Each structure stands twice: as structure tokens, then as C-alpha cells.
Amino acid sequence: MDKIQMKTPLVEMDGDEMTRVIWKMLKEILITPYVDLKTEYYDLGLKHRDETGDRVTVESAEATKKYGVAVKCATITPNAARVKEYDLHEMWKSPNGTIRAILDGTVFRAPILVKGIVPFLPGWKKPITIARHAYGDVYRNTEAVVPAGSKAELVITAPDGTETRELIHDFKGAGVVQGQHNLDDSIASFARACFNYALDTKQEIWFATKDTISKQYDHRFKDLFQEIFDAEYKEKFDAAGIEYFYTLIDDAVARVVRSEGGFIWACKNYDGDVMSDMVATAFGSLGLMTSVLVSPDGVYEYEAAHGTVTRHYYKWLKGEETSTNSMATLFAWTGALRKRGELDEIPALCEFAGKLEKAAVQTIEEGVMTGDLIPLSSLPEKRKVDTETFLHEVAKRLDALL
Ligand code: NAP
Ligand code: MG
């Protein structure tokens, strides 16, 4: 078979630890034998981020803006222990945070449903997609530890220089303070990304915040969503037979648990971070959660929702057997290849992405899976395989499909 030719390169962001190991294997076993892979490679491994003063992260995001589609491996967000472990010059910021800040946009996370893997909530029959706003709030905060006897104020300086001051707190004892912001433009593009995605996938969409407590900040989100919906989307939603509704975050949590899935749950940045892990875990495994960042100007960055799986990596380094789930990383690659195929009008590339996904799901449905899925699978006969064997098993089925 001739390899599928590409036109525009994918932006490839390599990463850390076990997912970096999987990255290389996956390309060698499942991509490059079939596709004449064109990528512009950026090494976001922690060592190289440190060597470049984290410039590589910014450059990879700029390249994504230029080419339109990126695929990203999981990366370490350094903490104090990592600074020591890697002898870092600085405690670099989260690469995902940096990339999201440059691309803006919304992160959509959806589980990969596989027959035999039953959600912890048996009522969940269809996927729940979390749409996470990817800009601002606590991820771009300014915070400080406040000594006793201090006064903290919120000061806004208008363009004409006038100051508005509001007391945050008179600190009798020591404490902490935090300043957050968001932007109307970013909230509006979040809303549009959600409504477009809902129309694309024909699913209803729920949005929830805590506007009863946050009467200006969260309320702004609620109002902008409603204004944009009424002005631009209401008719299209009616025609598609889908709904948008707003509710309080507490109410949303209760409804989601009782639901049967099949909708998009739009969340502010922090809520989306936390709730996507909850939804992923309840659907079965973090290893089955896909993630795509969609920017308002139509730029896509695909990744797995999980981290670098550190515990498995240290086993791998010692030469011990690992059984790490590569499904989410695989779906990041297929998502990116399919999108590149759509944009460059290469149907063979889209078809390949679909068949690779099918082969991967089929492998698990036929009882061949990594260790994390064994206790979740209801199949009577199943076999646990190591990280690399799983990829070869997928390749066998892919060859049959091609
Ligand atoms: P993690 O890498 O997601 O792993 C946590 C645990 O979840 C693992 O120890 C493993 O459980 C299970 N797990 C996650 N993915 C799995 C997979 N593909 N296959 C099998 N099991 C899987 O989270 P973490 O340990 O909290 O974070 C590790 C590093 O990842 C940190 O340095 C963090 O900064 C980074 N991180 C990066 C991203 C990103 O780049 N998007 C996201 C989150 C975290 P068992 O050990 O019980 O098998
Ligand atoms: Mg998280």
C-alpha cells in the first residue's frame, strides 16, 4: 500500500515521561507505516523547555496559529519537587496554560465509549462532553499572602485615570488574597464555540456557574451566553431540535449524575478542570478521555486529558513491564490527522483516522486491553497486555480494516 500523502504539516508537541514513551511507539507502530507524516516538531519535554527558557512552548503555540492543527503529548507542570528532580532554572508555568492563553478558545473533553466498559453510573448511556473555558479566572490570577494588620483593596484605574476602590478585607489576622479577571471577548468566543459545537454534534448544551454568589463576575458569563444565544443561535437550535439552558452549578451537578448523557456541559475554567476528571473517572478511565482545544478563529489542538503517568514511567525506567493505556493519545493523533485531512481535502487521511480509531476500540471490545481497563470490563474473557503489545494488537486489526 502507498503511504497517504499530507499537504500541510501538523504541529507536533512532544512531552514527558510515560506519554513520551507512548508517543514514539505509537508513531512508529501505527502512523508512519501508513502515512507519509509531515510534522513541525516542538520538544515540550521539561528538559528542553528549561533549556529554552520555555520559549519552545510559546513557539509551538505560535506555529499552531500558523498551521491550524496541533497534536500534543502530556507534559509535566513543574512543582517544587520537579524543580529539584530536573534541576530547573525556574518553576516554569503549565505548558497547557501557556498554550491556552495564546490560542484562547475552549477545551472539549469527551470519553471514548467502548462496549464492555460500563460507567460507574449505570444510568450514563451516552457520552457527556465537557466544554471548558480555557482563559482566565484562577489560571491567570494574581495572589498574595497578606500579613496581619494589612488592608486589601480592589483598585480599578479607568482610561481617564480615575480610580475606583473597593475594600476586599481589613486583615486583623494574616491571610491570603487573590485577584482574577476575564474578558468579554473571551467569554463571547467561549459561548460561540459551545453553541457551534452543539450544532455540529447535534447535542443539547447546559451552562452553569455560581451567579447567585458572584453577582457581577459569574453573572456576566450568564448574561453574555444568553445574549449571544438569543441573537445568533436560537433559530438554528430550534431548527436542529436541540436546547440551550442555564442553571446553577450545584443544580447542574445533580442533573448530570441523574442524566443518561448525550449533551455538552459548558463550564468555567476551574469547574471544567475538576468536572472533566470526575466525568472521565465515572465513565471508566482517564485513559479513555479525549481533549481538543478549539480557538475562536478555528485552530485545533488535540491531546489526551490525562497526565504523564509518572508512576508507570518509573517502572518502565527500571525495565519493569508497564501496561499504560494509549487510547487517549491515539485519539489525539486521529483527531489531528482527521482535521488536517478535512482542511486540506485529503479524504484518505480522514478515512485512515476513522479506521485507526475503529481498530483501537475493536481491540478492547475483543478482550485485549491495558491493566487499567481489566477491572472495568464486563467481558467474560479478557487479556491484559503491556503498553507496546496493545499497539501491535491495534496494528493487526488496522491492517485487516485497510
Ligand atoms: P496522571 O499522569 O494522569 O496519572 C495519575 C494516575 O492515573 C496514574 O498513576 C494512573 O494510575 C492513572 N492513569 C492516568 N493515565 C493513565 C493511562 N493512560 N493509563 C493507565 N493509567 C493511567 O496524573 P498525575 O500523576 O497527577 O500527574 C503526572 C504528571 O502529569 C504531573 O507532572 C502533571 O503535571 C502532569 N499532567 C499533565 C497534564 C497534561 O499535560 N495535559 C495533565 C495532568 C497532569 P495508577 O498509577 O493507579 O495505575
Ligand atoms: Mg485537571
Side-chain angles (χ1 to χ4, degrees), residues 259-293:
S259 78
E260 50 167 62
F263 56 88
I264 302 162
W265 182 11
C267 295
K268 286 177 64 199
N269 210 347
Y270 175 82
D271 297 338
D273 185 351
V274 178
M275 291 307 167
S276 61
D277 277 16
M278 192 273 285
V279 169
T281 308
F283 266 111
S285 167
L286 257 184
L288 291 179
M289 193 73 166
T290 63
S291 183
V292 57
L293 173 73

PDB file of all heavy atoms in Angstrom, residues 259-293:
ATOM      1  N   SER A 259     -28.583  12.059  34.810  1.00  0.00           N
ATOM      2  CA  SER A 259     -28.881  12.063  33.367  1.00  0.00           C
ATOM      3  C   SER A 259     -28.481  10.740  32.708  1.00  0.00           C
ATOM      4  O   SER A 259     -27.854   9.895  33.338  1.00  0.00           O
ATOM      5  CB  SER A 259     -28.093  13.182  32.685  1.00  0.00           C
ATOM      6  OG  SER A 259     -26.742  12.772  32.513  1.00  0.00           O
ATOM      7  N   GLU A 260     -28.815  10.620  31.411  1.00  0.00           N
ATOM      8  CA  GLU A 260     -28.243   9.478  30.699  1.00  0.00           C
ATOM      9  C   GLU A 260     -27.171   9.894  29.699  1.00  0.00           C
ATOM     10  O   GLU A 260     -26.725   9.101  28.882  1.00  0.00           O
ATOM     11  CB  GLU A 260     -29.316   8.609  30.050  1.00  0.00           C
ATOM     12  CG  GLU A 260     -30.349   9.300  29.197  1.00  0.00           C
ATOM     13  CD  GLU A 260     -31.114   8.252  28.393  1.00  0.00           C
ATOM     14  OE1 GLU A 260     -31.771   7.393  29.035  1.00  0.00           O
ATOM     15  OE2 GLU A 260     -31.016   8.308  27.148  1.00  0.00           O
ATOM     16  N   GLY A 261     -26.694  11.134  29.802  1.00  0.00           N
ATOM     17  CA  GLY A 261     -25.609  11.596  28.940  1.00  0.00           C
ATOM     18  C   GLY A 261     -26.132  12.100  27.605  1.00  0.00           C
ATOM     19  O   GLY A 261     -27.335  12.315  27.433  1.00  0.00           O
ATOM     20  N   GLY A 262     -25.193  12.319  26.678  1.00  0.00           N
ATOM     21  CA  GLY A 262     -25.581  12.771  25.356  1.00  0.00           C
ATOM     22  C   GLY A 262     -25.763  14.273  25.245  1.00  0.00           C
ATOM     23  O   GLY A 262     -26.560  14.740  24.435  1.00  0.00           O
ATOM     24  N   PHE A 263     -25.036  15.046  26.072  1.00  0.00           N
ATOM     25  CA  PHE A 263     -25.126  16.504  25.992  1.00  0.00           C
ATOM     26  C   PHE A 263     -23.752  17.119  26.278  1.00  0.00           C
ATOM     27  O   PHE A 263     -22.804  16.408  26.628  1.00  0.00           O
ATOM     28  CB  PHE A 263     -26.153  17.033  27.016  1.00  0.00           C
ATOM     29  CG  PHE A 263     -25.847  16.600  28.428  1.00  0.00           C
ATOM     30  CD1 PHE A 263     -25.020  17.348  29.243  1.00  0.00           C
ATOM     31  CD2 PHE A 263     -26.373  15.410  28.913  1.00  0.00           C
ATOM     32  CE1 PHE A 263     -24.717  16.921  30.533  1.00  0.00           C
ATOM     33  CE2 PHE A 263     -26.083  14.982  30.194  1.00  0.00           C
ATOM     34  CZ  PHE A 263     -25.252  15.733  31.006  1.00  0.00           C
ATOM     35  N   ILE A 264     -23.691  18.438  26.085  1.00  0.00           N
ATOM     36  CA  ILE A 264     -22.456  19.171  26.363  1.00  0.00           C
ATOM     37  C   ILE A 264     -22.672  19.980  27.636  1.00  0.00           C
ATOM     38  O   ILE A 264     -23.690  20.660  27.783  1.00  0.00           O
ATOM     39  CB  ILE A 264     -22.112  20.127  25.202  1.00  0.00           C
ATOM     40  CG1 ILE A 264     -21.965  19.339  23.903  1.00  0.00           C
ATOM     41  CG2 ILE A 264     -20.834  20.909  25.499  1.00  0.00           C
ATOM     42  CD1 ILE A 264     -22.061  20.209  22.669  1.00  0.00           C
ATOM     43  N   TRP A 265     -21.730  19.908  28.528  1.00  0.00           N
ATOM     44  CA  TRP A 265     -21.805  20.654  29.783  1.00  0.00           C
ATOM     45  C   TRP A 265     -20.717  21.728  29.737  1.00  0.00           C
ATOM     46  O   TRP A 265     -19.538  21.404  29.801  1.00  0.00           O
ATOM     47  CB  TRP A 265     -21.597  19.692  30.953  1.00  0.00           C
ATOM     48  CG  TRP A 265     -21.686  20.294  32.319  1.00  0.00           C
ATOM     49  CD1 TRP A 265     -22.130  21.537  32.649  1.00  0.00           C
ATOM     50  CD2 TRP A 265     -21.318  19.666  33.553  1.00  0.00           C
ATOM     51  NE1 TRP A 265     -22.065  21.729  34.007  1.00  0.00           N
ATOM     52  CE2 TRP A 265     -21.578  20.587  34.586  1.00  0.00           C
ATOM     53  CE3 TRP A 265     -20.807  18.403  33.879  1.00  0.00           C
ATOM     54  CZ2 TRP A 265     -21.317  20.298  35.928  1.00  0.00           C
ATOM     55  CZ3 TRP A 265     -20.552  18.112  35.212  1.00  0.00           C
ATOM     56  CH2 TRP A 265     -20.811  19.055  36.222  1.00  0.00           C
ATOM     57  N   ALA A 266     -21.142  22.970  29.557  1.00  0.00           N
ATOM     58  CA  ALA A 266     -20.183  24.077  29.466  1.00  0.00           C
ATOM     59  C   ALA A 266     -19.841  24.578  30.867  1.00  0.00           C
ATOM     60  O   ALA A 266     -20.739  24.848  31.668  1.00  0.00           O
ATOM     61  CB  ALA A 266     -20.770  25.208  28.627  1.00  0.00           C
ATOM     62  N   CYS A 267     -18.546  24.675  31.142  1.00  0.00           N
ATOM     63  CA  CYS A 267     -18.078  25.046  32.484  1.00  0.00           C
ATOM     64  C   CYS A 267     -17.049  26.158  32.406  1.00  0.00           C
ATOM     65  O   CYS A 267     -16.254  26.214  31.464  1.00  0.00           O
ATOM     66  CB  CYS A 267     -17.377  23.857  33.142  1.00  0.00           C
ATOM     67  SG  CYS A 267     -18.390  22.426  33.488  1.00  0.00           S
ATOM     68  N   LYS A 268     -17.033  26.996  33.429  1.00  0.00           N
ATOM     69  CA  LYS A 268     -15.923  27.935  33.578  1.00  0.00           C
ATOM     70  C   LYS A 268     -14.628  27.136  33.765  1.00  0.00           C
ATOM     71  O   LYS A 268     -14.645  25.935  34.044  1.00  0.00           O
ATOM     72  CB  LYS A 268     -16.170  28.851  34.781  1.00  0.00           C
ATOM     73  CG  LYS A 268     -17.239  29.914  34.522  1.00  0.00           C
ATOM     74  CD  LYS A 268     -17.490  30.744  35.768  1.00  0.00           C
ATOM     75  CE  LYS A 268     -16.252  31.528  36.146  1.00  0.00           C
ATOM     76  NZ  LYS A 268     -16.296  31.962  37.554  1.00  0.00           N
ATOM     77  N   ASN A 269     -13.520  27.860  33.642  1.00  0.00           N
ATOM     78  CA  ASN A 269     -12.202  27.226  33.581  1.00  0.00           C
ATOM     79  C   ASN A 269     -11.930  26.216  34.709  1.00  0.00           C
ATOM     80  O   ASN A 269     -11.616  25.046  34.460  1.00  0.00           O
ATOM     81  CB  ASN A 269     -11.158  28.360  33.608  1.00  0.00           C
ATOM     82  CG  ASN A 269      -9.888  27.994  32.867  1.00  0.00           C
ATOM     83  OD1 ASN A 269      -9.671  26.834  32.540  1.00  0.00           O
ATOM     84  ND2 ASN A 269      -9.053  28.982  32.606  1.00  0.00           N
ATOM     85  N   TYR A 270     -12.114  26.639  35.940  1.00  0.00           N
ATOM     86  CA  TYR A 270     -11.813  25.763  37.077  1.00  0.00           C
ATOM     87  C   TYR A 270     -12.828  24.616  37.182  1.00  0.00           C
ATOM     88  O   TYR A 270     -12.456  23.455  37.388  1.00  0.00           O
ATOM     89  CB  TYR A 270     -11.793  26.585  38.376  1.00  0.00           C
ATOM     90  CG  TYR A 270     -11.617  25.739  39.617  1.00  0.00           C
ATOM     91  CD1 TYR A 270     -10.345  25.322  40.020  1.00  0.00           C
ATOM     92  CD2 TYR A 270     -12.717  25.322  40.365  1.00  0.00           C
ATOM     93  CE1 TYR A 270     -10.183  24.528  41.143  1.00  0.00           C
ATOM     94  CE2 TYR A 270     -12.557  24.528  41.492  1.00  0.00           C
ATOM     95  CZ  TYR A 270     -11.294  24.132  41.872  1.00  0.00           C
ATOM     96  OH  TYR A 270     -11.144  23.339  42.974  1.00  0.00           O
ATOM     97  N   ASP A 271     -14.110  24.952  37.029  1.00  0.00           N
ATOM     98  CA  ASP A 271     -15.142  23.902  37.082  1.00  0.00           C
ATOM     99  C   ASP A 271     -14.857  22.828  36.025  1.00  0.00           C
ATOM    100  O   ASP A 271     -14.998  21.631  36.284  1.00  0.00           O
ATOM    101  CB  ASP A 271     -16.541  24.484  36.817  1.00  0.00           C
ATOM    102  CG  ASP A 271     -16.961  25.483  37.885  1.00  0.00           C
ATOM    103  OD1 ASP A 271     -16.408  25.423  38.998  1.00  0.00           O
ATOM    104  OD2 ASP A 271     -17.844  26.315  37.597  1.00  0.00           O
ATOM    105  N   GLY A 272     -14.453  23.271  34.842  1.00  0.00           N
ATOM    106  CA  GLY A 272     -14.180  22.332  33.756  1.00  0.00           C
ATOM    107  C   GLY A 272     -12.979  21.447  34.055  1.00  0.00           C
ATOM    108  O   GLY A 272     -12.976  20.260  33.720  1.00  0.00           O
ATOM    109  N   ASP A 273     -11.978  22.014  34.678  1.00  0.00           N
ATOM    110  CA  ASP A 273     -10.788  21.251  35.065  1.00  0.00           C
ATOM    111  C   ASP A 273     -11.200  20.112  35.999  1.00  0.00           C
ATOM    112  O   ASP A 273     -10.885  18.936  35.779  1.00  0.00           O
ATOM    113  CB  ASP A 273      -9.819  22.220  35.760  1.00  0.00           C
ATOM    114  CG  ASP A 273      -8.477  21.592  36.100  1.00  0.00           C
ATOM    115  OD1 ASP A 273      -8.341  20.357  35.959  1.00  0.00           O
ATOM    116  OD2 ASP A 273      -7.578  22.337  36.527  1.00  0.00           O
ATOM    117  N   VAL A 274     -11.950  20.452  37.034  1.00  0.00           N
ATOM    118  CA  VAL A 274     -12.316  19.474  38.060  1.00  0.00           C
ATOM    119  C   VAL A 274     -13.373  18.492  37.532  1.00  0.00           C
ATOM    120  O   VAL A 274     -13.249  17.276  37.681  1.00  0.00           O
ATOM    121  CB  VAL A 274     -12.847  20.212  39.315  1.00  0.00           C
ATOM    122  CG1 VAL A 274     -13.292  19.224  40.373  1.00  0.00           C
ATOM    123  CG2 VAL A 274     -11.774  21.153  39.861  1.00  0.00           C
ATOM    124  N   MET A 275     -14.414  19.025  36.896  1.00  0.00           N
ATOM    125  CA  MET A 275     -15.526  18.175  36.474  1.00  0.00           C
ATOM    126  C   MET A 275     -15.115  17.211  35.358  1.00  0.00           C
ATOM    127  O   MET A 275     -15.665  16.120  35.267  1.00  0.00           O
ATOM    128  CB  MET A 275     -16.715  19.018  36.003  1.00  0.00           C
ATOM    129  CG  MET A 275     -17.371  19.775  37.128  1.00  0.00           C
ATOM    130  SD  MET A 275     -17.809  18.662  38.475  1.00  0.00           S
ATOM    131  CE  MET A 275     -18.157  19.834  39.757  1.00  0.00           C
ATOM    132  N   SER A 276     -14.145  17.604  34.520  1.00  0.00           N
ATOM    133  CA  SER A 276     -13.769  16.671  33.456  1.00  0.00           C
ATOM    134  C   SER A 276     -13.060  15.458  34.050  1.00  0.00           C
ATOM    135  O   SER A 276     -13.206  14.346  33.533  1.00  0.00           O
ATOM    136  CB  SER A 276     -12.944  17.342  32.366  1.00  0.00           C
ATOM    137  OG  SER A 276     -11.767  17.846  32.873  1.00  0.00           O
ATOM    138  N   ASP A 277     -12.322  15.625  35.137  1.00  0.00           N
ATOM    139  CA  ASP A 277     -11.709  14.455  35.773  1.00  0.00           C
ATOM    140  C   ASP A 277     -12.780  13.581  36.416  1.00  0.00           C
ATOM    141  O   ASP A 277     -12.706  12.351  36.385  1.00  0.00           O
ATOM    142  CB  ASP A 277     -10.691  14.879  36.849  1.00  0.00           C
ATOM    143  CG  ASP A 277      -9.336  15.206  36.235  1.00  0.00           C
ATOM    144  OD1 ASP A 277      -9.277  15.398  35.005  1.00  0.00           O
ATOM    145  OD2 ASP A 277      -8.343  15.271  36.972  1.00  0.00           O
ATOM    146  N   MET A 278     -13.788  14.220  36.994  1.00  0.00           N
ATOM    147  CA  MET A 278     -14.876  13.456  37.607  1.00  0.00           C
ATOM    148  C   MET A 278     -15.621  12.655  36.528  1.00  0.00           C
ATOM    149  O   MET A 278     -15.827  11.444  36.679  1.00  0.00           O
ATOM    150  CB  MET A 278     -15.836  14.428  38.316  1.00  0.00           C
ATOM    151  CG  MET A 278     -16.851  13.775  39.218  1.00  0.00           C
ATOM    152  SD  MET A 278     -18.343  13.284  38.350  1.00  0.00           S
ATOM    153  CE  MET A 278     -19.140  14.868  38.114  1.00  0.00           C
ATOM    154  N   VAL A 279     -15.970  13.333  35.436  1.00  0.00           N
ATOM    155  CA  VAL A 279     -16.718  12.660  34.369  1.00  0.00           C
ATOM    156  C   VAL A 279     -15.878  11.540  33.748  1.00  0.00           C
ATOM    157  O   VAL A 279     -16.364  10.430  33.517  1.00  0.00           O
ATOM    158  CB  VAL A 279     -17.176  13.681  33.297  1.00  0.00           C
ATOM    159  CG1 VAL A 279     -17.719  12.981  32.060  1.00  0.00           C
ATOM    160  CG2 VAL A 279     -18.238  14.609  33.876  1.00  0.00           C
ATOM    161  N   ALA A 280     -14.585  11.825  33.527  1.00  0.00           N
ATOM    162  CA  ALA A 280     -13.703  10.807  32.924  1.00  0.00           C
ATOM    163  C   ALA A 280     -13.621   9.579  33.816  1.00  0.00           C
ATOM    164  O   ALA A 280     -13.735   8.442  33.344  1.00  0.00           O
ATOM    165  CB  ALA A 280     -12.307  11.382  32.709  1.00  0.00           C
ATOM    166  N   THR A 281     -13.433   9.802  35.099  1.00  0.00           N
ATOM    167  CA  THR A 281     -13.300   8.680  36.032  1.00  0.00           C
ATOM    168  C   THR A 281     -14.601   7.886  36.092  1.00  0.00           C
ATOM    169  O   THR A 281     -14.592   6.653  36.086  1.00  0.00           O
ATOM    170  CB  THR A 281     -12.926   9.191  37.431  1.00  0.00           C
ATOM    171  OG1 THR A 281     -11.784  10.032  37.281  1.00  0.00           O
ATOM    172  CG2 THR A 281     -12.585   8.053  38.363  1.00  0.00           C
ATOM    173  N   ALA A 282     -15.730   8.604  36.131  1.00  0.00           N
ATOM    174  CA  ALA A 282     -17.010   7.915  36.235  1.00  0.00           C
ATOM    175  C   ALA A 282     -17.314   7.117  34.969  1.00  0.00           C
ATOM    176  O   ALA A 282     -17.975   6.088  35.022  1.00  0.00           O
ATOM    177  CB  ALA A 282     -18.129   8.912  36.519  1.00  0.00           C
ATOM    178  N   PHE A 283     -16.813   7.590  33.822  1.00  0.00           N
ATOM    179  CA  PHE A 283     -17.032   6.823  32.588  1.00  0.00           C
ATOM    180  C   PHE A 283     -16.119   5.612  32.522  1.00  0.00           C
ATOM    181  O   PHE A 283     -16.284   4.755  31.671  1.00  0.00           O
ATOM    182  CB  PHE A 283     -16.833   7.698  31.351  1.00  0.00           C
ATOM    183  CG  PHE A 283     -18.117   8.292  30.846  1.00  0.00           C
ATOM    184  CD1 PHE A 283     -18.352   9.645  30.945  1.00  0.00           C
ATOM    185  CD2 PHE A 283     -19.092   7.490  30.275  1.00  0.00           C
ATOM    186  CE1 PHE A 283     -19.541  10.199  30.489  1.00  0.00           C
ATOM    187  CE2 PHE A 283     -20.280   8.033  29.815  1.00  0.00           C
ATOM    188  CZ  PHE A 283     -20.502   9.381  29.921  1.00  0.00           C
ATOM    189  N   GLY A 284     -15.105   5.548  33.360  1.00  0.00           N
ATOM    190  CA  GLY A 284     -14.259   4.360  33.348  1.00  0.00           C
ATOM    191  C   GLY A 284     -12.829   4.706  33.670  1.00  0.00           C
ATOM    192  O   GLY A 284     -12.322   4.353  34.713  1.00  0.00           O
ATOM    193  N   SER A 285     -12.166   5.424  32.779  1.00  0.00           N
ATOM    194  CA  SER A 285     -10.740   5.624  32.973  1.00  0.00           C
ATOM    195  C   SER A 285     -10.308   6.948  32.364  1.00  0.00           C
ATOM    196  O   SER A 285     -10.798   7.343  31.318  1.00  0.00           O
ATOM    197  CB  SER A 285      -9.984   4.477  32.299  1.00  0.00           C
ATOM    198  OG  SER A 285      -8.619   4.773  32.202  1.00  0.00           O
ATOM    199  N   LEU A 286      -9.354   7.589  33.026  1.00  0.00           N
ATOM    200  CA  LEU A 286      -8.742   8.791  32.454  1.00  0.00           C
ATOM    201  C   LEU A 286      -8.083   8.468  31.116  1.00  0.00           C
ATOM    202  O   LEU A 286      -7.971   9.320  30.250  1.00  0.00           O
ATOM    203  CB  LEU A 286      -7.665   9.313  33.398  1.00  0.00           C
ATOM    204  CG  LEU A 286      -7.970  10.518  34.256  1.00  0.00           C
ATOM    205  CD1 LEU A 286      -6.739  10.918  35.048  1.00  0.00           C
ATOM    206  CD2 LEU A 286      -8.414  11.697  33.386  1.00  0.00           C
ATOM    207  N   GLY A 287      -7.687   7.227  30.973  1.00  0.00           N
ATOM    208  CA  GLY A 287      -7.045   6.797  29.728  1.00  0.00           C
ATOM    209  C   GLY A 287      -8.003   6.745  28.551  1.00  0.00           C
ATOM    210  O   GLY A 287      -7.581   6.526  27.419  1.00  0.00           O
ATOM    211  N   LEU A 288      -9.290   6.966  28.796  1.00  0.00           N
ATOM    212  CA  LEU A 288     -10.284   6.943  27.709  1.00  0.00           C
ATOM    213  C   LEU A 288     -10.901   8.322  27.480  1.00  0.00           C
ATOM    214  O   LEU A 288     -11.987   8.427  26.923  1.00  0.00           O
ATOM    215  CB  LEU A 288     -11.389   5.925  28.018  1.00  0.00           C
ATOM    216  CG  LEU A 288     -11.003   4.444  27.983  1.00  0.00           C
ATOM    217  CD1 LEU A 288     -12.204   3.572  28.345  1.00  0.00           C
ATOM    218  CD2 LEU A 288     -10.462   4.036  26.617  1.00  0.00           C
ATOM    219  N   MET A 289     -10.219   9.380  27.931  1.00  0.00           N
ATOM    220  CA  MET A 289     -10.803  10.720  27.787  1.00  0.00           C
ATOM    221  C   MET A 289     -10.016  11.518  26.756  1.00  0.00           C
ATOM    222  O   MET A 289      -8.813  11.694  26.878  1.00  0.00           O
ATOM    223  CB  MET A 289     -10.746  11.422  29.149  1.00  0.00           C
ATOM    224  CG  MET A 289     -11.585  12.658  29.224  1.00  0.00           C
ATOM    225  SD  MET A 289     -13.336  12.199  29.305  1.00  0.00           S
ATOM    226  CE  MET A 289     -14.075  13.741  29.797  1.00  0.00           C
ATOM    227  N   THR A 290     -10.745  12.014  25.741  1.00  0.00           N
ATOM    228  CA  THR A 290     -10.092  12.806  24.699  1.00  0.00           C
ATOM    229  C   THR A 290     -10.274  14.295  24.992  1.00  0.00           C
ATOM    230  O   THR A 290     -11.180  14.678  25.734  1.00  0.00           O
ATOM    231  CB  THR A 290     -10.720  12.538  23.329  1.00  0.00           C
ATOM    232  OG1 THR A 290     -12.088  12.964  23.380  1.00  0.00           O
ATOM    233  CG2 THR A 290     -10.671  11.073  22.975  1.00  0.00           C
ATOM    234  N   SER A 291      -9.454  15.102  24.379  1.00  0.00           N
ATOM    235  CA  SER A 291      -9.493  16.527  24.658  1.00  0.00           C
ATOM    236  C   SER A 291      -9.077  17.313  23.419  1.00  0.00           C
ATOM    237  O   SER A 291      -8.103  16.950  22.760  1.00  0.00           O
ATOM    238  CB  SER A 291      -8.503  16.796  25.807  1.00  0.00           C
ATOM    239  OG  SER A 291      -8.536  18.128  26.183  1.00  0.00           O
ATOM    240  N   VAL A 292      -9.844  18.344  23.091  1.00  0.00           N
ATOM    241  CA  VAL A 292      -9.432  19.211  21.980  1.00  0.00           C
ATOM    242  C   VAL A 292      -9.698  20.674  22.343  1.00  0.00           C
ATOM    243  O   VAL A 292     -10.749  21.009  22.881  1.00  0.00           O
ATOM    244  CB  VAL A 292     -10.120  18.805  20.647  1.00  0.00           C
ATOM    245  CG1 VAL A 292     -11.621  18.805  20.745  1.00  0.00           C
ATOM    246  CG2 VAL A 292      -9.689  19.748  19.508  1.00  0.00           C
ATOM    247  N   LEU A 293      -8.693  21.496  22.101  1.00  0.00           N
ATOM    248  CA  LEU A 293      -8.832  22.934  22.303  1.00  0.00           C
ATOM    249  C   LEU A 293      -9.221  23.565  20.974  1.00  0.00           C
ATOM    250  O   LEU A 293      -8.515  23.386  19.979  1.00  0.00           O
ATOM    251  CB  LEU A 293      -7.495  23.519  22.790  1.00  0.00           C
ATOM    252  CG  LEU A 293      -7.402  25.039  22.905  1.00  0.00           C
ATOM    253  CD1 LEU A 293      -8.199  25.533  24.103  1.00  0.00           C
ATOM    254  CD2 LEU A 293      -5.949  25.481  23.060  1.00  0.00           C
TER     255      LEU A 293
END
